[in-house]
Amino acid sequence: MRPIDDLNRPEFYLNRELSQLAFNQRVLALAQDPHLPLLERFKFLFICASNLDEFFEIRVAGVKERIALGSKKVNADGLTPEETYLAISEKAHDLVTKIYQLFNEKLLPELEKNNIRFLAPNKWNEETQRWVKHYFRNEILPVLSPVGLDHAHPFPRLVNKSLNFMVSLQGNDAFGRSSGLAIVHAPRALPRVIKVPKKHCRSGESFILLTSIIQAHVNDLFPGMHVKGCYQFRLTRNSDLFFQEEEIEDLALTLKTELFQRHYGNVVRLEIDKNCPKSITQFLLEKHHIQQEDTYYCDGPVNLSRYMTILSQIDQADLFFDPFHPSLPKRLENKHDLFGAIREND
């Protein structure tokens, strides 16, 4: 028999944060499986992205809290909070890279083979361009409120996981100000994927990303100025709840307050367009007091989990699992009284 001291050996234990990442790698493996129906693979990809959001909001946020408090406590697996965070960063960056590689190099081309397309601006024909322009001016423009960054307009407090754009500008606005940078926030009410009416596109089913529409028409938001670049980004914040139940008098009120505050917790991750200039990325890092390791460059939409909505808009049964149809035991056939049937024979 081994001595009891062996139970303290770190190699006997799994780090819970790294174990959670390993689980998400297995979810991604399902999205990579070519034997599964195509849209089920998309579903697993979106689930993996959604799981990562929760992972950063709670698990990574907790590790960063311990680092901020100066904790040097070693976990059962032998890792300090700093070592855990570095291991998380390495594996999470690798996972994000694989997610976008799969999305761009495998899934989107397979989708196009099935006559379903995500139309980039360079694929819009004249009819599609007219429809997009009409959609932007009537559905999107009225709810956008661009904010120029200057002394009169400091950096706004952005909601957790909201879609935003950093806009690089040249020239003066209507008030003679030249800030050089502005932020455009896309409200959650706006759909992230818009299905193009068949009469305005080619055969099959076509979708356009909200990000593509805003980037194509961002000039309309800044009359008299020249837009040099428009880059999507998203902030993930600490969303854990912190309170001592035995020390509060009104639990419902405390929860209501905490649930509101979680939208504005400390930033733990920056997702940003891979083409964004380093100067703008560094500006965002400094504004939110995070490091380069907290930056995740996205080769596509920064909020993949919100694209789950496309699954309900595609009517091709062969791209999904066959629906489950429950069967009825023979002993229950032609019987309307379930408990009576049980009394007759278990």
Side-chain angles (χ1 to χ4, degrees):
M1 177 180 290
R2 290 181 176 179
I4 194 65
D5 289 346
D6 278 357
L7 294 179
N8 295 320
R9 291 167 60 181
E11 60 265 32
F12 289 169
Y13 299 92
L14 297 175
N15 180 280
R16 73 169 194 165
E17 277 72 34
L18 299 182
S19 177
Q20 180 69 28
L21 279 177
F23 167 77
N24 283 321
Q25 290 170 341
R26 294 192 290 274
V27 175
L28 182 62
L30 290 170
Q32 295 168 327
D33 188 349
H35 299 99
L36 297 183
L38 180 58
L39 291 181
E40 298 294 344
R41 295 173 66 188
F42 267 98
K43 187 183 297 184
F44 283 119
L45 185 77
F46 298 148
I47 291 172
C48 184
S50 177
N51 288 347
L52 272 181
D53 288 348
E54 295 181 16
F55 176 73
F56 276 91
E57 288 177 292
I58 306 300
R59 295 292 184 86
V60 176
V63 173
K64 289 177 75 69
E65 282 283 336
R66 293 196 291 275
I67 293 174
L69 292 172
S71 173
K72 300 296 181 183
K73 182 179 179 181
V74 177
N75 294 329
D77 53 33
L79 297 178
T80 64
E82 289 88 349
E83 292 169 335
T84 298
Y85 176 73
L86 291 176
I88 288 172
S89 179
E90 179 183 354
K91 292 184 180 298
H93 277 91
D94 180 63
L95 185 59
V96 169
T97 298
K98 290 177 178 177
I99 285 174
Y100 283 100
Q101 284 179 343
L102 178 63
F103 182 72
N104 292 308
E105 299 174 12
K106 298 291 185 182
L107 297 186
L108 288 184
E110 286 294 322
L111 205 61
E112 190 158 355
K113 289 179 183 178
N114 287 273
N115 220 14
I116 303 170
R117 302 175 183 85
F118 281 84
L119 299 179
N122 60 0
K123 299 288 182 66
W124 298 349
N125 58 31
E126 290 185 9
E127 182 65 25
T128 304
Q129 289 178 12
R130 284 194 294 270
W131 178 83
V132 168
K133 187 173 184 178
H134 180 270
Y135 186 90
F136 175 80
R137 290 188 172 179
N138 289 274
E139 304 294 335
I140 299 177
L141 183 59
V143 297
L144 296 183
S145 298
V147 178
L149 300 180
D150 52 37
H151 295 296
H153 300 87
F155 199 96
R157 200 176 184 191
L158 302 174
V159 177
N160 180 37
K161 296 187 297 183
S162 60
L163 174 61
N164 307 281
F165 298 84
M166 284 294 296
V167 185
S168 178
L169 299 167
Q170 188 175 35
N172 298 328
D173 62 15
F175 300 96
R177 297 173 301 195
S178 176
S179 62
L181 289 175
I183 287 182
V184 177
H185 168 67
R188 293 188 188 277
L190 290 175
R192 283 358 186 199
V193 184
I194 297 96
K195 189 171 184 177
V196 183
K198 291 186 180 296
K199 64 180 180 179
H200 296 296
C201 62
R202 294 179 291 172
S203 61
E205 297 182 274
S206 296
F207 298 87
I208 295 179
L209 305 183
L210 174 66
T211 53
S212 296
I213 297 179
I214 292 178
Q215 288 171 333
H217 292 277
V218 69
N219 285 284
D220 294 358
L221 299 172
F222 303 96
M225 305 185 77
H226 172 63
V227 174
K228 295 168 28 180
C230 179
Y231 312 99
Q232 56 177 320
F233 75 96
R234 188 171 74 141
L235 301 171
T236 306
R237 296 180 178 274
N238 184 339
S239 298
D240 208 355
L241 298 177
F242 298 99
F243 60 88
Q244 295 293 332
E245 188 172 345
E246 64 274 9
E247 296 180 5
I248 59 178
E249 297 180 0
D250 190 330
L251 179 60
L253 179 61
T254 301
L255 277 174
K256 183 178 179 180
T257 304
E258 285 289 331
L259 288 172
F260 174 79
Q261 290 296 333
R262 72 191 308 204
H263 292 303
Y264 301 100
N266 293 331
V267 174
V268 296
R269 176 180 61 164
L270 167 65
E271 296 171 279
I272 195 163
D273 191 320
K274 70 166 188 172
N275 297 315
C276 184
K278 290 183 178 180
S279 58
I280 293 180
T281 302
Q282 188 61 36
F283 171 77
L284 288 171
L285 293 177
E286 292 173 0
K287 282 293 180 182
H288 297 95
H289 310 291
I290 52 178
Q291 306 302 317
Q292 188 63 43
E293 293 80 9
D294 302 309
T295 307
Y296 291 79
Y297 293 98
C298 301
D299 188 10
V302 297
N303 50 348
L304 272 177
S305 59
R306 288 290 302 273
Y307 291 82
M308 184 81 80
T309 56
I310 68 166
L311 302 178
S312 62
Q313 301 182 59
I314 299 175
D315 187 21
Q316 292 194 32
D318 59 310
L319 301 182
F320 294 93
F321 285 133
D322 292 333
F324 174 73
H325 299 290
S327 60
L328 188 68
K330 290 184 177 179
R331 290 177 180 175
L332 295 181
E333 290 179 356
N334 302 318
K335 292 183 181 294
H336 302 288
D337 182 1
L338 175 63
F339 293 101
I342 293 175
R343 282 191 293 270
E344 290 178 12
N345 192 351
D346 188 2

PDB file of all heavy atoms in Angstrom, residues 29-54:
ATOM      1  N   ALA A  29     -14.311  19.408 -30.985  1.00  0.00           N
ATOM      2  CA  ALA A  29     -14.050  18.198 -31.770  1.00  0.00           C
ATOM      3  C   ALA A  29     -15.324  17.697 -32.451  1.00  0.00           C
ATOM      4  O   ALA A  29     -15.273  17.151 -33.563  1.00  0.00           O
ATOM      5  CB  ALA A  29     -13.456  17.117 -30.875  1.00  0.00           C
ATOM      6  N   LEU A  30     -16.468  17.878 -31.807  1.00  0.00           N
ATOM      7  CA  LEU A  30     -17.738  17.493 -32.434  1.00  0.00           C
ATOM      8  C   LEU A  30     -18.033  18.393 -33.633  1.00  0.00           C
ATOM      9  O   LEU A  30     -18.555  17.938 -34.648  1.00  0.00           O
ATOM     10  CB  LEU A  30     -18.871  17.574 -31.409  1.00  0.00           C
ATOM     11  CG  LEU A  30     -18.827  16.517 -30.304  1.00  0.00           C
ATOM     12  CD1 LEU A  30     -19.845  16.849 -29.211  1.00  0.00           C
ATOM     13  CD2 LEU A  30     -19.122  15.136 -30.876  1.00  0.00           C
ATOM     14  N   ALA A  31     -17.702  19.687 -33.513  1.00  0.00           N
ATOM     15  CA  ALA A  31     -17.893  20.595 -34.644  1.00  0.00           C
ATOM     16  C   ALA A  31     -16.952  20.249 -35.790  1.00  0.00           C
ATOM     17  O   ALA A  31     -17.242  20.546 -36.958  1.00  0.00           O
ATOM     18  CB  ALA A  31     -17.670  22.039 -34.196  1.00  0.00           C
ATOM     19  N   GLN A  32     -15.830  19.625 -35.477  1.00  0.00           N
ATOM     20  CA  GLN A  32     -14.859  19.250 -36.503  1.00  0.00           C
ATOM     21  C   GLN A  32     -15.194  17.919 -37.171  1.00  0.00           C
ATOM     22  O   GLN A  32     -14.598  17.589 -38.196  1.00  0.00           O
ATOM     23  CB  GLN A  32     -13.459  19.167 -35.872  1.00  0.00           C
ATOM     24  CG  GLN A  32     -12.924  20.498 -35.360  1.00  0.00           C
ATOM     25  CD  GLN A  32     -11.686  20.337 -34.501  1.00  0.00           C
ATOM     26  OE1 GLN A  32     -11.550  19.342 -33.790  1.00  0.00           O
ATOM     27  NE2 GLN A  32     -10.784  21.311 -34.548  1.00  0.00           N
ATOM     28  N   ASP A  33     -16.133  17.175 -36.617  1.00  0.00           N
ATOM     29  CA  ASP A  33     -16.447  15.824 -37.115  1.00  0.00           C
ATOM     30  C   ASP A  33     -17.212  15.897 -38.434  1.00  0.00           C
ATOM     31  O   ASP A  33     -18.376  16.308 -38.464  1.00  0.00           O
ATOM     32  CB  ASP A  33     -17.274  15.077 -36.070  1.00  0.00           C
ATOM     33  CG  ASP A  33     -17.477  13.609 -36.417  1.00  0.00           C
ATOM     34  OD1 ASP A  33     -17.164  13.219 -37.565  1.00  0.00           O
ATOM     35  OD2 ASP A  33     -17.955  12.865 -35.553  1.00  0.00           O
ATOM     36  N   PRO A  34     -16.612  15.481 -39.556  1.00  0.00           N
ATOM     37  CA  PRO A  34     -17.290  15.570 -40.860  1.00  0.00           C
ATOM     38  C   PRO A  34     -18.446  14.595 -41.014  1.00  0.00           C
ATOM     39  O   PRO A  34     -19.224  14.700 -41.968  1.00  0.00           O
ATOM     40  CB  PRO A  34     -16.165  15.267 -41.853  1.00  0.00           C
ATOM     41  CG  PRO A  34     -15.203  14.414 -41.088  1.00  0.00           C
ATOM     42  CD  PRO A  34     -15.257  14.919 -39.673  1.00  0.00           C
ATOM     43  N   HIS A  35     -18.581  13.643 -40.101  1.00  0.00           N
ATOM     44  CA  HIS A  35     -19.668  12.666 -40.192  1.00  0.00           C
ATOM     45  C   HIS A  35     -20.982  13.198 -39.626  1.00  0.00           C
ATOM     46  O   HIS A  35     -22.032  12.588 -39.833  1.00  0.00           O
ATOM     47  CB  HIS A  35     -19.274  11.377 -39.460  1.00  0.00           C
ATOM     48  CG  HIS A  35     -18.059  10.718 -40.023  1.00  0.00           C
ATOM     49  ND1 HIS A  35     -16.802  10.869 -39.459  1.00  0.00           N
ATOM     50  CD2 HIS A  35     -17.883   9.931 -41.127  1.00  0.00           C
ATOM     51  CE1 HIS A  35     -15.927  10.187 -40.160  1.00  0.00           C
ATOM     52  NE2 HIS A  35     -16.546   9.616 -41.178  1.00  0.00           N
ATOM     53  N   LEU A  36     -20.926  14.310 -38.919  1.00  0.00           N
ATOM     54  CA  LEU A  36     -22.142  14.890 -38.360  1.00  0.00           C
ATOM     55  C   LEU A  36     -22.792  15.813 -39.383  1.00  0.00           C
ATOM     56  O   LEU A  36     -22.109  16.395 -40.236  1.00  0.00           O
ATOM     57  CB  LEU A  36     -21.813  15.681 -37.084  1.00  0.00           C
ATOM     58  CG  LEU A  36     -21.249  14.885 -35.906  1.00  0.00           C
ATOM     59  CD1 LEU A  36     -21.039  15.810 -34.707  1.00  0.00           C
ATOM     60  CD2 LEU A  36     -22.133  13.722 -35.535  1.00  0.00           C
ATOM     61  N   PRO A  37     -24.121  15.997 -39.312  1.00  0.00           N
ATOM     62  CA  PRO A  37     -24.794  16.954 -40.210  1.00  0.00           C
ATOM     63  C   PRO A  37     -24.205  18.349 -40.057  1.00  0.00           C
ATOM     64  O   PRO A  37     -23.819  18.763 -38.955  1.00  0.00           O
ATOM     65  CB  PRO A  37     -26.261  16.889 -39.746  1.00  0.00           C
ATOM     66  CG  PRO A  37     -26.402  15.560 -39.089  1.00  0.00           C
ATOM     67  CD  PRO A  37     -25.076  15.287 -38.438  1.00  0.00           C
ATOM     68  N   LEU A  38     -24.147  19.082 -41.163  1.00  0.00           N
ATOM     69  CA  LEU A  38     -23.433  20.354 -41.196  1.00  0.00           C
ATOM     70  C   LEU A  38     -23.920  21.352 -40.162  1.00  0.00           C
ATOM     71  O   LEU A  38     -23.131  21.966 -39.436  1.00  0.00           O
ATOM     72  CB  LEU A  38     -23.538  20.959 -42.599  1.00  0.00           C
ATOM     73  CG  LEU A  38     -22.834  22.301 -42.801  1.00  0.00           C
ATOM     74  CD1 LEU A  38     -21.352  22.196 -42.489  1.00  0.00           C
ATOM     75  CD2 LEU A  38     -23.047  22.803 -44.220  1.00  0.00           C
ATOM     76  N   LEU A  39     -25.230  21.559 -40.071  1.00  0.00           N
ATOM     77  CA  LEU A  39     -25.729  22.573 -39.144  1.00  0.00           C
ATOM     78  C   LEU A  39     -25.629  22.124 -37.692  1.00  0.00           C
ATOM     79  O   LEU A  39     -25.605  22.960 -36.783  1.00  0.00           O
ATOM     80  CB  LEU A  39     -27.165  22.952 -39.501  1.00  0.00           C
ATOM     81  CG  LEU A  39     -27.291  23.724 -40.819  1.00  0.00           C
ATOM     82  CD1 LEU A  39     -28.739  24.097 -41.100  1.00  0.00           C
ATOM     83  CD2 LEU A  39     -26.419  24.975 -40.809  1.00  0.00           C
ATOM     84  N   GLU A  40     -25.541  20.820 -37.453  1.00  0.00           N
ATOM     85  CA  GLU A  40     -25.265  20.351 -36.092  1.00  0.00           C
ATOM     86  C   GLU A  40     -23.827  20.689 -35.721  1.00  0.00           C
ATOM     87  O   GLU A  40     -23.530  21.006 -34.569  1.00  0.00           O
ATOM     88  CB  GLU A  40     -25.499  18.844 -35.989  1.00  0.00           C
ATOM     89  CG  GLU A  40     -26.929  18.410 -36.274  1.00  0.00           C
ATOM     90  CD  GLU A  40     -27.931  18.911 -35.246  1.00  0.00           C
ATOM     91  OE1 GLU A  40     -27.510  19.344 -34.148  1.00  0.00           O
ATOM     92  OE2 GLU A  40     -29.146  18.871 -35.539  1.00  0.00           O
ATOM     93  N   ARG A  41     -22.924  20.652 -36.703  1.00  0.00           N
ATOM     94  CA  ARG A  41     -21.533  21.047 -36.451  1.00  0.00           C
ATOM     95  C   ARG A  41     -21.468  22.535 -36.115  1.00  0.00           C
ATOM     96  O   ARG A  41     -20.723  22.943 -35.214  1.00  0.00           O
ATOM     97  CB  ARG A  41     -20.672  20.725 -37.667  1.00  0.00           C
ATOM     98  CG  ARG A  41     -20.559  19.236 -37.965  1.00  0.00           C
ATOM     99  CD  ARG A  41     -19.844  18.992 -39.285  1.00  0.00           C
ATOM    100  NE  ARG A  41     -18.444  19.409 -39.216  1.00  0.00           N
ATOM    101  CZ  ARG A  41     -17.624  19.460 -40.262  1.00  0.00           C
ATOM    102  NH1 ARG A  41     -18.092  19.137 -41.473  1.00  0.00           N
ATOM    103  NH2 ARG A  41     -16.372  19.844 -40.123  1.00  0.00           N
ATOM    104  N   PHE A  42     -22.249  23.350 -36.843  1.00  0.00           N
ATOM    105  CA  PHE A  42     -22.330  24.769 -36.504  1.00  0.00           C
ATOM    106  C   PHE A  42     -22.828  24.942 -35.071  1.00  0.00           C
ATOM    107  O   PHE A  42     -22.325  25.783 -34.325  1.00  0.00           O
ATOM    108  CB  PHE A  42     -23.274  25.493 -37.464  1.00  0.00           C
ATOM    109  CG  PHE A  42     -22.605  26.108 -38.656  1.00  0.00           C
ATOM    110  CD1 PHE A  42     -22.598  25.460 -39.874  1.00  0.00           C
ATOM    111  CD2 PHE A  42     -21.960  27.332 -38.552  1.00  0.00           C
ATOM    112  CE1 PHE A  42     -21.980  26.019 -40.978  1.00  0.00           C
ATOM    113  CE2 PHE A  42     -21.336  27.900 -39.655  1.00  0.00           C
ATOM    114  CZ  PHE A  42     -21.343  27.242 -40.869  1.00  0.00           C
ATOM    115  N   LYS A  43     -23.814  24.149 -34.705  1.00  0.00           N
ATOM    116  CA  LYS A  43     -24.385  24.264 -33.358  1.00  0.00           C
ATOM    117  C   LYS A  43     -23.315  23.993 -32.298  1.00  0.00           C
ATOM    118  O   LYS A  43     -23.202  24.729 -31.306  1.00  0.00           O
ATOM    119  CB  LYS A  43     -25.551  23.289 -33.205  1.00  0.00           C
ATOM    120  CG  LYS A  43     -26.314  23.442 -31.898  1.00  0.00           C
ATOM    121  CD  LYS A  43     -27.423  22.404 -31.767  1.00  0.00           C
ATOM    122  CE  LYS A  43     -28.474  22.575 -32.844  1.00  0.00           C
ATOM    123  NZ  LYS A  43     -29.611  21.619 -32.666  1.00  0.00           N
ATOM    124  N   PHE A  44     -22.515  22.954 -32.494  1.00  0.00           N
ATOM    125  CA  PHE A  44     -21.457  22.659 -31.529  1.00  0.00           C
ATOM    126  C   PHE A  44     -20.413  23.775 -31.500  1.00  0.00           C
ATOM    127  O   PHE A  44     -19.861  24.091 -30.439  1.00  0.00           O
ATOM    128  CB  PHE A  44     -20.792  21.320 -31.861  1.00  0.00           C
ATOM    129  CG  PHE A  44     -21.615  20.122 -31.464  1.00  0.00           C
ATOM    130  CD1 PHE A  44     -22.060  19.211 -32.411  1.00  0.00           C
ATOM    131  CD2 PHE A  44     -21.956  19.912 -30.134  1.00  0.00           C
ATOM    132  CE1 PHE A  44     -22.820  18.112 -32.045  1.00  0.00           C
ATOM    133  CE2 PHE A  44     -22.716  18.812 -29.750  1.00  0.00           C
ATOM    134  CZ  PHE A  44     -23.152  17.917 -30.713  1.00  0.00           C
ATOM    135  N   LEU A  45     -20.139  24.379 -32.660  1.00  0.00           N
ATOM    136  CA  LEU A  45     -19.197  25.502 -32.694  1.00  0.00           C
ATOM    137  C   LEU A  45     -19.724  26.671 -31.875  1.00  0.00           C
ATOM    138  O   LEU A  45     -18.995  27.281 -31.074  1.00  0.00           O
ATOM    139  CB  LEU A  45     -18.961  25.943 -34.137  1.00  0.00           C
ATOM    140  CG  LEU A  45     -17.911  27.042 -34.333  1.00  0.00           C
ATOM    141  CD1 LEU A  45     -16.504  26.454 -34.222  1.00  0.00           C
ATOM    142  CD2 LEU A  45     -18.076  27.722 -35.689  1.00  0.00           C
ATOM    143  N   PHE A  46     -21.008  26.994 -32.040  1.00  0.00           N
ATOM    144  CA  PHE A  46     -21.604  28.097 -31.294  1.00  0.00           C
ATOM    145  C   PHE A  46     -21.652  27.783 -29.804  1.00  0.00           C
ATOM    146  O   PHE A  46     -21.461  28.677 -28.969  1.00  0.00           O
ATOM    147  CB  PHE A  46     -23.014  28.386 -31.822  1.00  0.00           C
ATOM    148  CG  PHE A  46     -23.050  28.812 -33.269  1.00  0.00           C
ATOM    149  CD1 PHE A  46     -24.130  28.502 -34.078  1.00  0.00           C
ATOM    150  CD2 PHE A  46     -21.999  29.517 -33.826  1.00  0.00           C
ATOM    151  CE1 PHE A  46     -24.167  28.886 -35.404  1.00  0.00           C
ATOM    152  CE2 PHE A  46     -22.021  29.908 -35.154  1.00  0.00           C
ATOM    153  CZ  PHE A  46     -23.112  29.598 -35.943  1.00  0.00           C
ATOM    154  N   ILE A  47     -21.915  26.520 -29.460  1.00  0.00           N
ATOM    155  CA  ILE A  47     -21.926  26.125 -28.041  1.00  0.00           C
ATOM    156  C   ILE A  47     -20.541  26.301 -27.435  1.00  0.00           C
ATOM    157  O   ILE A  47     -20.388  26.785 -26.306  1.00  0.00           O
ATOM    158  CB  ILE A  47     -22.408  24.667 -27.887  1.00  0.00           C
ATOM    159  CG1 ILE A  47     -23.896  24.564 -28.226  1.00  0.00           C
ATOM    160  CG2 ILE A  47     -22.147  24.152 -26.476  1.00  0.00           C
ATOM    161  CD1 ILE A  47     -24.418  23.143 -28.301  1.00  0.00           C
ATOM    162  N   CYS A  48     -19.513  25.925 -28.191  1.00  0.00           N
ATOM    163  CA  CYS A  48     -18.137  26.089 -27.711  1.00  0.00           C
ATOM    164  C   CYS A  48     -17.831  27.567 -27.445  1.00  0.00           C
ATOM    165  O   CYS A  48     -17.250  27.911 -26.413  1.00  0.00           O
ATOM    166  CB  CYS A  48     -17.162  25.513 -28.744  1.00  0.00           C
ATOM    167  SG  CYS A  48     -15.436  25.550 -28.219  1.00  0.00           S
ATOM    168  N   ALA A  49     -18.257  28.442 -28.361  1.00  0.00           N
ATOM    169  CA  ALA A  49     -18.030  29.878 -28.183  1.00  0.00           C
ATOM    170  C   ALA A  49     -18.794  30.401 -26.969  1.00  0.00           C
ATOM    171  O   ALA A  49     -18.271  31.218 -26.200  1.00  0.00           O
ATOM    172  CB  ALA A  49     -18.460  30.630 -29.439  1.00  0.00           C
ATOM    173  N   SER A  50     -20.024  29.936 -26.784  1.00  0.00           N
ATOM    174  CA  SER A  50     -20.822  30.364 -25.637  1.00  0.00           C
ATOM    175  C   SER A  50     -20.193  29.882 -24.320  1.00  0.00           C
ATOM    176  O   SER A  50     -20.154  30.622 -23.331  1.00  0.00           O
ATOM    177  CB  SER A  50     -22.251  29.819 -25.774  1.00  0.00           C
ATOM    178  OG  SER A  50     -23.030  30.157 -24.653  1.00  0.00           O
ATOM    179  N   ASN A  51     -19.699  28.647 -24.320  1.00  0.00           N
ATOM    180  CA  ASN A  51     -19.035  28.122 -23.129  1.00  0.00           C
ATOM    181  C   ASN A  51     -17.807  28.953 -22.768  1.00  0.00           C
ATOM    182  O   ASN A  51     -17.528  29.196 -21.580  1.00  0.00           O
ATOM    183  CB  ASN A  51     -18.615  26.669 -23.355  1.00  0.00           C
ATOM    184  CG  ASN A  51     -19.794  25.703 -23.361  1.00  0.00           C
ATOM    185  OD1 ASN A  51     -20.896  26.062 -22.959  1.00  0.00           O
ATOM    186  ND2 ASN A  51     -19.557  24.497 -23.815  1.00  0.00           N
ATOM    187  N   LEU A  52     -17.080  29.392 -23.786  1.00  0.00           N
ATOM    188  CA  LEU A  52     -15.895  30.216 -23.530  1.00  0.00           C
ATOM    189  C   LEU A  52     -16.281  31.544 -22.896  1.00  0.00           C
ATOM    190  O   LEU A  52     -15.566  32.053 -22.023  1.00  0.00           O
ATOM    191  CB  LEU A  52     -15.127  30.454 -24.827  1.00  0.00           C
ATOM    192  CG  LEU A  52     -14.083  29.416 -25.222  1.00  0.00           C
ATOM    193  CD1 LEU A  52     -13.395  29.820 -26.517  1.00  0.00           C
ATOM    194  CD2 LEU A  52     -13.051  29.215 -24.128  1.00  0.00           C
ATOM    195  N   ASP A  53     -17.404  32.111 -23.331  1.00  0.00           N
ATOM    196  CA  ASP A  53     -17.872  33.357 -22.715  1.00  0.00           C
ATOM    197  C   ASP A  53     -18.074  33.164 -21.221  1.00  0.00           C
ATOM    198  O   ASP A  53     -17.595  33.964 -20.402  1.00  0.00           O
ATOM    199  CB  ASP A  53     -19.192  33.806 -23.359  1.00  0.00           C
ATOM    200  CG  ASP A  53     -18.998  34.339 -24.770  1.00  0.00           C
ATOM    201  OD1 ASP A  53     -17.840  34.573 -25.167  1.00  0.00           O
ATOM    202  OD2 ASP A  53     -20.016  34.530 -25.469  1.00  0.00           O
ATOM    203  N   GLU A  54     -18.790  32.124 -20.851  1.00  0.00           N
ATOM    204  CA  GLU A  54     -19.053  31.856 -19.433  1.00  0.00           C
ATOM    205  C   GLU A  54     -17.751  31.556 -18.688  1.00  0.00           C
ATOM    206  O   GLU A  54     -17.582  31.955 -17.532  1.00  0.00           O
ATOM    207  CB  GLU A  54     -20.025  30.686 -19.301  1.00  0.00           C
ATOM    208  CG  GLU A  54     -21.414  30.967 -19.863  1.00  0.00           C
ATOM    209  CD  GLU A  54     -22.355  29.790 -19.696  1.00  0.00           C
ATOM    210  OE1 GLU A  54     -22.033  28.886 -18.887  1.00  0.00           O
ATOM    211  OE2 GLU A  54     -23.393  29.759 -20.368  1.00  0.00           O
TER     212      GLU A  54
END
